[in-house]
Amino acid sequence: MIVPAQYQPPLPLDRLILQDGAPGAGDRMELDVVIVGAGPAGLAAAIELAQLAKREGTELSIGVLEKAAALGEHSLSGAVVNPRAFRRLFPDLKDSDLPVRGAVERERVYLLTSRAAIPLPTPPTMRNRGNYVASLCEIVRWLGGKAEALGVNVFTGFPAASLLVNGRGVAGVRTAATGLDRDGKPLASYLPPNDLTARVTVLAEGTRGMLSQAYLEWERVPSESPQIFALGVKEIWETKRPLDTIVHTLGWPLPRDAFGGSFLYPLEPNLVALGLVVGLDYRDAALDAHVLFQQMKLHPLFRRYLEGGELVEWGAKTIPEGGYYSVPARRSGEGVVILGDSAGFVDVPSLKGIHYAMQSGLFAARAIFQALKGGDTSAERLAEYDRLVDSSFIVHDLYRTRNVRLAFKDGFFAGGVKAALMTLTSGRFPGGKIEMPRDADVERTLTPGASPGGEPFVPDGRLTFSKVDGVFKSGNATRDTIPVHLVVGDNLTPEAAELYAHLCPAGVYEVVGGTLRVNAPNCIDCKATDVLGPRWTPREGGSGPKYKRM
């Protein structure tokens, strides 16, 4: 029996929280607002702030830090997008002007067995008429262009590695150094970290945000339930057979005690996105999401579209799934607000998070603008952000589906019945909160010699691919001599090492001679092992994947 929490090191707060003015920085820049993360939440906040300043004839210095080398290169989502937040951010634009691929015209839901696909009625929460298929990479690049046109400074290739604090307030961030060798010693290309101070710091880091985690732990901000996560593995394929509907599936290839499902979306007449999502509270320590995904593509439902086609892109990402009860009690503090996925604004039953992220950015911008205007960025003043979120459709939607994901803790079929009753009663059933442990506290069983899915997985190089192939298709160009950014516990057992090797979709962890080998340059920043094992920490800017159409 393996309990991952027994082997997980603590969050390295001594590296993530620094006093403002701590030694070690190079240049120092002062801004009104610094935003960490150029995803939909951070860029929406930047755009709305800039628009508010323009309307009032004032000037704000706004900086957005993005760890990827270019906008969108670390952005990955399904994605079917609700345009609601776009319409609020850009009221003068038509839907046809938005960075989306096409409207959802048809949709199907199937229960998969190993050979069959059984049609199911589309649950009310998953109905997508009026929504759009999109690429999150393309959305981010488009939003970035809008932000820069408004005078926002977007700094790509600059990860925020630490929060700068002054007393109990946040004063800005320190970026990661570049040009260090594997032992952390400076190379000829070395550049020291920079400090960016700001009256307000916005944490929009996406899933499993490291500085957001650090702030919430440092300030001891509670939530009613721990945040839980899923891992999604995704591919883009050029195909010879067109797809004219969005498809979601439940069931196979996942075991019955694992939550998740798959998707297949049309992007162009001969371009599709497909993926598999697995809740990280699964109990089989040998479960491997990448391998299950590869096996899934051999199912007749998927194979008929992929046969004769070509894999053009691969990636993976974690997803916060805890919903209403896992949202922190407050997402603001003295000089700081937390947005989007970093705050847990994802509604699993509807498979939606992008419009919640963007809307949280709009609310943050409005609260920040008024705080700056009044010369008061205290926790009390910035709490207006929480009030706006709590009275909005974001929290309303999460509350309505508050127990749906949690219902599946006891298995697929029992969860399905409970979820149906919750949907029929608008969340009133079962009348209270379903208790959930942290993913890292769930007991796992590793069967000696077990392979995910039964037989050992051997990729064919046509429809199925290895983890190394996937990393190549992610565009990962991390230099081999980069320092290891993954913090591994000291008391690791061979069984825990096996768990990490199966868990990581990018082959970062290997078990060699019963011990763990860490291939840090393979990392694509999915954050899966940060949930269950080694801690992820920010690394040199531009490291990781280079997604183009994810």
Side-chain angles (χ1 to χ4, degrees), residues 65-78:
L65 296 182
E66 170 54 43
K67 61 187 174 69
L71 286 175
E73 289 188 345
H74 286 185
S75 300
L76 184 153
S77 181

Side-chain angles (χ1 to χ4, degrees), residues 42-130:
L43 290 172
I47 291 167
E48 181 72 351
L49 267 171
Q51 290 182 153
L52 289 169
K54 185 177 180 180
R55 285 180 205 136
E56 297 224 358
T58 62
E59 290 188 6
L60 287 179
S61 55
I62 306 166
V64 181
L65 296 182
E66 170 54 43
K67 61 187 174 69
L71 286 175
E73 289 188 345
H74 286 185
S75 300
L76 184 153
S77 181
V80 173
V81 179
N82 183 323
R84 184 174 186 174
F86 274 104
R87 291 168 181 162
R88 293 192 177 188
L89 187 58
F90 303 106
D92 296 332
L93 295 184
K94 302 175 183 176
D95 282 6
S96 58
D97 298 323
L98 302 180
V100 294
R101 290 296 189 118
V104 175
E105 302 290 348
R106 301 175 184 83
E107 53 192 330
R108 298 177 193 147
V109 179
Y110 294 100
L111 174 64
L112 292 190
T113 68
S114 60
R115 296 185 179 181
I118 304 166
L120 297 175
T122 302
T125 56
M126 294 175 64
R127 292 172 186 163
N128 281 289
R129 291 297 179 91

Side-chain angles (χ1 to χ4, degrees), residues 243-379:
L243 175 71
D244 64 356
T245 185
I246 67 169
V247 175
H248 293 106
T249 80
L250 305 169
W252 188 89
L254 299 179
R256 293 183 181 180
D257 62 353
F259 177 81
S262 76
F263 61 88
L264 179 66
Y265 298 157
L267 298 176
E268 296 174 4
N270 293 97
L271 191 73
V272 301
L274 69 156
L276 178 69
V277 178
V278 185
L280 291 180
D281 56 348
Y282 61 79
R283 297 181 181 276
D284 178 3
L287 188 147
D288 190 313
H290 174 82
V291 171
L292 291 178
F293 179 41
Q294 300 308 308
Q295 293 170 336
M296 185 194 82
K297 292 185 294 179
L298 301 176
H299 191 283
L301 177 66
F302 298 95
R303 186 167 195 151
R304 64 185 177 187
Y305 292 103
L306 304 180
E307 199 102 64
E310 180 183 358
L311 169 64
V312 295
E313 200 163 0
W314 173 97
K317 205 76 166 180
T318 50
I319 306 159
E321 288 199 333
Y324 175 80
Y325 292 117
S326 297
V327 172
R330 61 177 172 88
R331 289 77 61 192
S332 63
E334 187 176 340
V336 66
V337 294
I338 303 174
L339 313 184
D341 281 11
S342 290
F345 297 147
V346 173
D347 183 50
V348 173
S350 65
L351 310 177
K352 298 289 184 296
I354 293 172
H355 71 296
Y356 298 125
M358 291 180 63
Q359 188 65 51
S360 73
L362 268 71
F363 288 146
R366 294 168 190 173
I368 291 167
F369 186 76
Q370 292 302 319
L372 294 175
K373 190 175 175 182
D376 178 7
T377 58
S378 65

Side-chain angles (χ1 to χ4, degrees), residues 204-224:
E205 304 166 278
T207 181
R208 199 74 180 167
M210 189 55 55
L211 301 187
S212 303
Q213 287 186 70
Y215 177 78
L216 294 170
E217 184 171 317
W218 181 62
E219 279 283 275
R220 296 184 175 88
V221 179
S223 58
E224 289 192 59

Side-chain angles (χ1 to χ4, degrees), residues 66-69 74 156-161 175-182 185 187 189-191 477-485 525 536-546:
E66 170 54 43
K67 61 187 174 69
H74 286 185
T156 56
F158 285 91
T175 64
T178 64
L180 296 173
D181 67 15
R182 191 166 293 158
K185 296 178 181 177
L187 299 167
S189 58
Y190 173 74
L191 292 173
T478 305
R479 61 184 176 87
D480 291 338
T481 56
I482 197 168
V484 175
H485 64 293
D525 295 356
W536 181 95
T537 60
R539 54 183 171 162
E540 181 176 291
S543 300
K546 295 186 182 297

Side-chain angles (χ1 to χ4, degrees), residues 362-364 366-367 383-393:
L362 268 71
F363 288 146
R366 294 168 190 173
E384 175 63 15
Y385 164 63
D386 283 328
R387 289 189 283 272
L388 290 170
V389 169
D390 290 345
S391 62
S392 74
F393 69 84

Side-chain angles (χ1 to χ4, degrees), residues 225 325 402-410 418 422 429-430 432-437:
S225 292
Y325 292 117
R402 57 195 177 276
N403 275 312
V404 173
R405 165 62 179 93
L406 313 184
F408 287 86
K409 65 179 288 188
D410 296 321
K418 293 176 185 176
M422 291 170 191
F429 174 84
K433 180 183 69 173
I434 296 176
E435 297 294 334
M436 289 287 286

